[in-house]
Amino acid sequence: MSDPSRPRASLRTAVVWDVLKDALDRRVKATGRESLDVLDTGGGSGKFAVPAARLGHRVTVVDPSPNALFALERRAAEADVADRVQGVQGDAHGLFDVVERGGYDAVLCHGVLEYVDDPAEGVANAVASLRPGGVLSLLASGLGGAVLARALAGHFTEARHALGDPDGRWGEGDPVPRRFTTEQLTALVEGAGLRVGAVHGVRVFADLVPGVLVDTEPGALDALLKLEAVAAELPAFHSVATQLHVLGETREAAEA
């Protein structure tokens, strides 16, 4: 997995990382503690965990894959943050078998809700692991982005199928078990007792632009990154984003 700080990888991670870093910085100021406790559920090989550890935070990554946790360990060592990153094998359903309730200043739930049996339970568990004043970073696949991608590829029947499918899937061969609209994700966050602090569309254009153009046209990558950053905040583009990012805040965080 790529690091958010690397330019090419930033097409997929920049918007989320910028929002997350700002949220962590605000928690540092609110708590007066330079080092926060961060939980990354489904964090895989650490593409967000390791950069967060570089900021000085202590990060616990919960992931069901031993291979991903091995890659996390290696990446953390290479970044010289192994002492601040802990990998634990587990999943969102049995989260409190491996981590503490109410023990974290921030929780990342990225690419998890698509695969769990009960998304509401997944969000509820993430929220239950927050301290008062904590924040939740929620990232999930967007329905509209998938529909647009299938249509532009000429798969019009699959695009129409995804629009009518309760899980937003375009067919039996779809590798993603579930997709969401902005309304569905914000309802999950609010249903778990949090306030929605911000919503961003992620990869609005990046997955539609030919890679050869981005890699070979002078200045194209930087220009696309800037375009993504602006479009991410505009509600009109949320419905066509490949992913949707929701920042959930506890009442204490919202009032800070």
Side-chain angles (χ1 to χ4, degrees):
M1 304 294 285
S2 298
D3 190 310
S5 63
R6 293 172 55 190
R8 192 66 175 86
S10 292
L11 282 175
R12 294 179 176 272
T13 60
V15 169
V16 179
W17 175 246
D18 287 347
V19 175
L20 177 60
K21 183 179 182 299
D22 179 68
L24 293 174
D25 289 345
R26 284 188 280 114
R27 291 311 304 149
V28 166
K29 291 180 181 178
T31 62
R33 293 184 283 112
E34 293 187 1
S35 182
L36 303 176
D37 293 303
V38 178
L39 174 63
D40 189 352
T41 65
S45 60
K47 68 178 178 180
F48 287 99
V50 168
R54 283 188 183 137
L55 297 178
H57 304 305
R58 297 176 294 271
V59 187
T60 299
V61 176
V62 177
D63 197 279
S65 169
N67 290 337
L69 294 175
F70 177 77
L72 167 71
E73 183 179 350
R74 183 176 58 198
R75 172 179 276 180
E78 291 173 351
D80 198 27
V81 293
D83 59 328
R84 293 196 292 275
V85 177
Q86 178 188 15
V88 181
Q89 190 170 0
D91 57 32
H93 175 69
L95 188 61
F96 300 115
D97 294 336
V98 294
V99 303
E100 176 188 0
R101 287 182 182 269
Y104 299 91
D105 301 289
V107 175
L108 283 58
C109 186
H110 295 173
V112 173
L113 298 188
E114 297 93 327
Y115 300 94
V116 298
D117 292 334
D118 185 348
E121 179 193 39
V123 175
N125 283 350
V127 172
S129 62
L130 286 171
R131 289 173 176 156
V135 294
L136 169 68
S137 175
L138 182 65
L139 181 69
S141 296
L143 170 62
V147 172
L148 183 61
R150 299 316 288 174
L152 291 178
H155 303 300
F156 307 121
T157 300
E158 291 178 349
R160 181 167 56 84
H161 187 279
L163 281 173
D165 186 81
D167 293 322
R169 305 184 76 232
W170 46 256
E172 290 297 324
D174 192 337
V176 179
R178 187 184 295 109
R179 294 185 179 88
F180 299 87
T181 63
T182 301
E183 292 76 16
Q184 288 171 330
L185 284 182
T186 55
L188 286 170
V189 170
E190 291 172 342
L194 296 188
R195 169 189 173 274
V196 175
V199 179
H200 291 84
V202 181
R203 290 154 54 191
V204 174
F205 306 105
D207 292 345
L208 304 176
V209 176
V212 64
L213 187 155
V214 177
D215 292 333
T216 60
E217 187 72 21
L221 176 60
D222 184 57
L224 181 54
L225 283 168
K226 291 177 180 177
L227 176 62
E228 287 279 357
V230 174
E233 298 190 10
L234 300 176
F237 289 97
H238 294 171
S239 60
V240 294
T242 298
Q243 293 180 311
L244 296 167
H245 183 250
V246 178
L247 187 71
E249 301 176 331
T250 59
R251 179 177 54 81
E252 295 88 349
E255 294 174 351

